[in-house]
């Protein structure tokens, strides 16, 4: 599915990717691995918990952890409190790579901290 292709793209670009089937599993992985996570890529249309619920929980527990949202709908930037970037599906490889790079660069750049 699309999740695997996105994970594969990111792995090709040298990232370590942890995949979750749904929001609950994503939150479990987050609890377990939070020290090691640099970024969360969150699809807004998932089974179980909504993407917005997952976003709210992540932000409550780790306000500084960047979350990049993917959605099949056109979303106005800034509609989502706390999202580092919003990508529209289908997400293109180049666009995904650029967004992830940009968000991580902002973190490690001089503005971080």
């Amino acid at each position: 599915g699309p999740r695997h292709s996105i994970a594969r793209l990111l792995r090709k670009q040298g990232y370590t990717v942890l995949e979750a089937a749904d929001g609950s599993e994503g939150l479990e992985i987050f609890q377990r691995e939070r020290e090691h996570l640099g970024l969360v890529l969150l699809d807004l249309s998932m089974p179980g918990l909504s993407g917005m619920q997952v976003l709210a929980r992540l932000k409550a527990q780790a306000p500084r952890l960047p979350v990049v949202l993917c959605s099949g709908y056109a979303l106005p930037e800034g509609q989502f409190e706390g999202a580092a970037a919003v990508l529209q599906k289908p997400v293109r490889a180049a666009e995904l790579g650029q967004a992830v790079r940009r968000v991580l660069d902002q973190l490690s750049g001089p503005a971080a901290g």
Side-chain angles (χ1 to χ4, degrees):
R3 187 178 85 232
H4 298 301
S5 51
I6 283 182
R8 203 163 49 238
L9 284 172
L10 289 172
R11 289 192 179 105
K12 265 193 197 130
Q13 294 175 25
Y15 299 107
T16 301
V17 181
L18 301 173
E19 290 180 70
D22 59 29
S24 307
E25 190 188 349
L27 289 169
E28 278 168 35
I29 292 175
F30 161 73
Q31 302 287 358
R32 203 168 58 233
E33 304 284 346
R34 55 191 298 174
E35 292 80 51
H36 310 294
L37 295 179
L39 178 145
V40 172
L41 189 60
L42 178 59
D43 194 322
L44 285 180
S45 42
M46 291 182 296
L49 289 172
S50 78
M52 295 310 293
Q53 288 170 311
V54 175
L55 177 62
R57 291 182 199 190
L58 288 173
K59 284 287 137 189
Q61 295 175 55
R64 306 184 68 99
L65 179 66
V67 179
V68 174
L69 299 179
C70 301
S71 172
Y73 304 99
L75 301 171
E77 257 327 311
Q79 179 184 334
F80 294 102
E81 208 45 57
V86 179
L87 300 174
Q88 192 169 353
K89 294 191 293 188
V91 177
R92 291 189 301 282
E95 194 187 9
L96 176 70
Q98 284 162 7
V100 167
R101 185 75 267 150
R102 189 176 72 238
V103 170
L104 292 174
D105 285 349
Q106 283 166 359
L107 283 184
S108 59

